[in-house]
Amino acid sequence: MRIRSLGVIDDAVVELSPGFTAVTGETGAGKTMVVTSLGLLLGGRADPALVRIGAKSAVVEGRIAVGPAAPAAVRAEEAGAELDDGTLLISRTVSAEGRSRAHVGGRSVPVGLLGELADDLVAVHGQTDQQGLLRPARQRQALDRYAGDAVSVPLAKYTAAYRRLRAVAAELDELTTRARERAQEADLLRFGLEEIAGVEPQPDEDAELAAEAERLGHAEALASAAAAAHAALAGNPEDLEAVDATTLVAGAHRALDAVRSHDPVLSALTERLGEIGILMADVAGELASYADGLDADPLRLAAVEERRAALTHLTRKYGADIGAVLAWAEEGAVRLAELDGDDDRIGELTAEHDALRAELGELAQALTDAREASAKRFADAVTAELAELAMPHARVSVQITQTEVAEDGGGVEVGGRAVAFGPTGADEVELLLAPHPGTPPRPIAKGASGGELSRVMLAVEVVFAGSDPVPTYLFDEVDAGVGGKAAVEVGRRLARLAKSAQVVVVTHLPQVAAFADRQLLVEKTHDGSVTRSGVTVLEGEDRVRELSRMLAGQEDSETARAHAEELLEAARSRR
């Protein structure tokens, strides 16, 4: 990795060994920044506070060896990245303003892709993970992770059934708790639909009746006007001397018709006069029919107004016009059918709810069986690791329990008992430790001293490391609280793990660092920064000096140097 402008690090290169690499240095020298840098490459949260004061951005670049068929390589190539001779180039930039960019194999990618790649590349185990493992929920997750498919397969089925049960229960609750409101809504809809059905409105009927009422209300005036217009066009039989428009137009047509053959222009005008005469005759006929058809019928007018009043009553309650009223009736009928079907729906949901509860009981039982089968193997593996970590008499066990509830308390049946259940099953998982023969097993948070707790947690992490399909493991001061012989055993165990995987350990213990294949020293310059040369590979005399400092705080102490050399020699012989 190359790290620039991150925390106390100005510019540094970190070269990790294929086996066991120990990162050491004074407190505050920047060892944690090495872990933070790797976290950024793995898609960790970008905190602008990490950017070195005065710098515009922090940059972390890494070269990771991957096989062409490795899941991380396949996923990276799907994102458009290119492998460089079996290595994957990853970079992460964090600006002082908080913006973050990621590149994989020369291609800009979403930061989330780094997290996906991390799952197949590196497993990080730190002090935060240790504290998290003290919580029963995390201990259940740990057991499930160790169990693998034996738990994950039924757990996936259980989770799907649990989510469906929650959805069914929510709908049932909504239907039953709002039953009164829904009944009131149904009554109002039923009343409105019956009222509309009683009137039987027709589309556009309100507009048509309004026009008819206007016509009936002015029938006499309309008839008089139509008669006068007819007389003006066709003449009045009672006034033979009156001149009408039709007679005048006919006379004009006859006058022109006599001479039309002498001029085409006049001939065209003659034809137009003929057309006018025909049109006037048609209009006059229609006016006569209109006048004859008008009837000032007060009974019909009253009937129209009564019908309009009935329609207006509907439009005041259900819509702006009859079209809107009919639309309300159509929607209301659909909604009423839904409400009337609630009883049937409640029955269906109740049956599904009971079936899901029974299914969850079977799946919860399968989860319990799988966890109990894995718990023994997991506890034995951790106990074996503790023996390697200078706790030969310690015994770890996994306690799996359930909380019983009343028969009607909403639980599921597991082992012939009604028990509480949640999104991950009905089991409560807790790691127990008996550190010495004759002592009763107790929860690890209560049954272990600080040093014992660190070793238990390291044992758990090593067991996970043995089952995780990743090539690199990073341990960030998981040896805190350990010293003396136990620290030697911690270093030896990590060295054994490094025979099958790359192991990186940030440590303050010389007993652990002595077992490393490569030791890196992080140190500041006089101005408080870590430069490119501030992360160095220690070999020979330099490594002895650093181990001397870690042992006694004095690099030049002859006693400390002798002890450091003895520690290195012992580590080489005890791997």
Side-chain angles (χ1 to χ4, degrees):
M1 289 190 300
R2 183 179 183 185
I3 309 165
R4 288 178 288 172
S5 302
L6 185 71
V8 299
I9 299 180
D10 178 26
D11 190 345
V13 175
V14 179
E15 298 180 6
L16 304 177
S17 166
F20 180 3
T21 299
V23 181
T24 64
E26 293 278 8
T27 300
K31 300 189 299 296
T32 301
M33 286 298 102
V34 175
V35 179
T36 302
S37 300
L38 189 56
L40 287 173
L41 284 183
L42 301 178
R45 187 176 68 90
D47 185 354
L50 295 173
V51 180
R52 183 171 173 78
I53 297 175
K56 294 182 179 180
S57 61
V59 181
V60 182
E61 300 168 310
R63 292 176 61 89
I64 302 177
V66 293
V74 174
R75 181 67 186 92
E77 289 179 339
E78 289 175 351
E82 295 183 0
L83 294 179
D84 180 16
D85 193 22
T87 61
L88 191 62
L89 302 180
I90 299 178
S91 70
R92 180 83 179 275
T93 303
V94 181
S95 72
E97 292 78 24
R99 294 188 300 273
S100 174
R101 298 193 307 274
H103 291 80
V104 175
R107 176 65 61 89
S108 177
V109 298
V111 173
L113 177 65
L114 300 185
E116 295 179 30
L117 299 179
D119 292 338
D120 299 312
L121 293 175
V122 182
V124 180
H125 306 287
Q127 291 175 315
T128 302
D129 302 285
Q130 287 190 19
Q131 296 304 314
L133 277 171
L134 296 179
R135 298 194 298 270
R138 285 292 301 276
Q139 293 174 17
R140 179 199 50 75
Q141 294 173 5
L143 178 61
D144 289 354
R145 173 180 158 199
Y146 177 81
D149 291 345
V151 167
S152 63
V153 172
L155 181 58
K157 297 178 181 178
Y158 177 94
T159 301
Y162 180 82
R163 288 174 180 168
R164 178 56 188 164
L165 179 67
R166 292 288 299 272
V168 169
E171 187 175 354
L172 263 177
D173 183 64
E174 196 271 341
L175 288 175
T176 53
T177 57
R178 294 187 55 199
R180 179 177 298 178
E181 296 176 17
R182 299 168 77 87
Q184 292 174 347
E185 182 184 359
D187 287 343
L188 289 175
L189 285 172
R190 193 173 288 108
F191 175 81
L193 291 172
E194 290 174 353
E195 191 172 28
I196 294 172
V199 176
E200 294 184 349
Q202 301 301 315
D204 300 325
E205 184 181 4
D206 49 347
E208 294 172 358
L209 288 176
E212 184 178 0
E214 184 74 11
R215 186 170 62 254
L216 290 172
H218 300 84
E220 293 183 0
L222 293 172
S224 176
H230 179 270
L233 288 174
N236 187 347
E238 297 179 357
D239 185 2
L240 299 178
E241 295 182 357
V243 179
D244 58 84
T246 301
T247 301
L248 293 174
V249 170
H253 182 268
R254 286 194 301 271
L256 293 177
D257 191 54
V259 296
R260 62 184 296 180
S261 60
H262 301 299
D263 190 345
V265 175
L266 197 63
S267 178
L269 292 174
T270 302
E271 292 180 1
R272 290 171 62 187
L273 276 174
E275 294 172 357
I276 291 173
I278 294 171
L279 181 60
M280 290 177 64
D282 289 342
V283 172
E286 291 182 12
L287 284 171
S289 300
Y290 177 81
D292 293 340
L294 278 176
D295 185 7
D297 184 353
L299 293 178
R300 174 57 185 166
L301 179 60
V304 168
E305 292 297 348
E306 182 179 358
R307 179 65 176 173
R308 290 185 69 199
L311 296 179
T312 300
H313 178 73
L314 296 181
T315 57
R316 285 174 180 169
K317 297 174 67 174
Y318 306 111
D321 52 32
I322 290 301
V325 170
L326 293 172
W328 183 93
E330 183 177 355
E331 295 172 1
V334 173
R335 177 59 176 163
L336 183 59
E338 293 178 359
L339 295 173
D340 287 342
D342 278 352
D343 289 342
D344 294 338
R345 181 59 178 160
I346 289 175
E348 294 173 0
L349 290 174
T350 301
E352 184 179 2
H353 187 273
D354 293 343
L356 285 169
R357 283 269 298 277
E359 181 183 358
L360 280 175
E362 295 175 0
L363 291 171
Q365 182 68 66
L367 282 173
T368 299
D369 294 342
R371 284 169 177 154
E372 289 178 346
S374 300
K376 180 65 167 59
R377 293 186 290 106
F378 179 70
D380 290 346
V382 175
T383 299
E385 289 297 331
L386 288 178
E388 296 283 348
L389 296 173
M391 292 180 66
H393 304 296
R395 293 292 179 269
V396 170
S397 58
V398 180
Q399 178 177 274
I400 300 176
T401 60
Q402 299 83 31
T403 301
E404 291 193 41
V405 297
E407 288 294 336
D408 57 350
V412 296
E413 184 176 331
V414 175
R417 300 172 300 144
V419 299
F421 67 101
T424 58
D427 301 321
E428 298 171 8
V429 177
E430 191 161 30
L431 290 179
L432 305 179
L433 172 68
H436 309 290
T439 57
R442 300 182 64 193
I444 56 175
K446 301 177 181 178
S449 65
E452 289 172 338
L453 181 60
S454 292
R455 278 178 280 174
V456 171
M457 292 306 176
L458 179 57
V460 171
E461 298 292 357
V462 170
V463 169
F464 283 155
S467 60
D468 275 344
V470 294
T472 300
Y473 304 97
L474 172 63
F475 294 94
D476 180 17
E477 297 193 9
V478 293
D479 50 13
V482 176
K485 181 180 178 181
V488 173
E489 296 302 329
V490 168
R492 187 158 63 101
R493 191 65 193 89
L494 291 172
R496 287 184 180 177
L497 179 62
K499 292 180 179 180
S500 59
Q502 182 183 39
V503 176
V504 182
V505 179
V506 178
T507 183
H508 65 281
L509 293 180
Q511 296 95 327
V512 173
F515 279 90
D517 298 304
R518 172 178 291 177
Q519 184 172 347
L520 300 180
L521 173 64
V522 181
E523 58 183 346
K524 295 180 182 178
T525 59
H526 65 279
D527 63 354
S529 66
V530 177
T531 64
R532 179 187 297 271
S533 60
V535 180
T536 56
V537 179
L538 298 179
E539 296 178 348
E541 184 65 22
D542 292 334
R543 188 172 186 186
V544 172
R545 284 175 58 83
E546 172 61 8
L547 289 176
S548 299
R549 181 199 64 77
M550 297 173 72
L551 283 165
Q554 299 176 351
E555 298 92 332
D556 298 324
S557 167
E558 290 299 327
T559 301
R561 290 172 58 82
H563 191 182
E565 292 174 349
E566 181 181 355
L567 194 60
L568 281 171
E569 184 59 33
R572 293 190 187 98
S573 63
R574 297 180 65 180
R575 289 190 180 188

